[in-house]
Amino acid sequence: CVVREVREETGIEAKPVRLVGVYKNMNLAVVSLAFLCGPVGGELRTSDESSVATWLTPEEAIERCPEARGVRIKDALSNDGPHVRAHDGTSLLPGN
């Protein structure tokens, strides 16, 4: 699924490397899995599901994200995990 979604939204062919974490949005009762992927082909573009597609450094991406999304990037760059975290859609909940 992650390969398909990355391709559909960005035009990039991705290869999953490892599971980064399990992220629980407690307000919406939604669980998301995040994977570290590497680009292996394709051409960066927007789609019906994305209005902007650009390459960013991890620091730039973290800066532009709400905490609950930025932590996924930090988790992907760490050598431990997979992580299990709970959030409210924007901020991590205490203990995460």
Side-chain angles (χ1 to χ4, degrees), residues 2 17 25-26 34 39 48 50 56 59-60 68 73-74 76 85 88-90:
V2 68
V17 175
N25 182 325
M26 302 307 282
D48 292 341
S50 61
L56 301 171
E59 294 79 16
E60 290 169 328
I73 300 165
K74 292 177 186 176
R85 302 191 188 275
D88 64 7
T90 303

Side-chain angles (χ1 to χ4, degrees), residues 2-16 37-45 55:
V2 68
V3 171
R4 182 190 67 238
E5 286 300 314
V6 171
R7 182 178 51 245
E8 284 178 1
E9 294 179 21
T10 69
I12 297 298
E13 296 292 331
K15 179 179 180 181
C37 295
V40 294
E43 189 172 321
L44 187 64
R45 58 157 175 74
W55 294 103

Side-chain angles (χ1 to χ4, degrees), residues 2 15-23 32-38 68-85:
V2 68
K15 179 179 180 181
V17 175
R18 66 179 166 84
L19 176 66
V20 169
V22 179
Y23 301 90
S32 299
L33 303 178
F35 293 87
L36 175 65
C37 295
R69 299 283 189 262
V71 74
R72 298 174 193 204
I73 300 165
K74 292 177 186 176
D75 288 349
L77 298 174
S78 72
N79 291 324
D80 54 349
H83 301 271
V84 177
R85 302 191 188 275

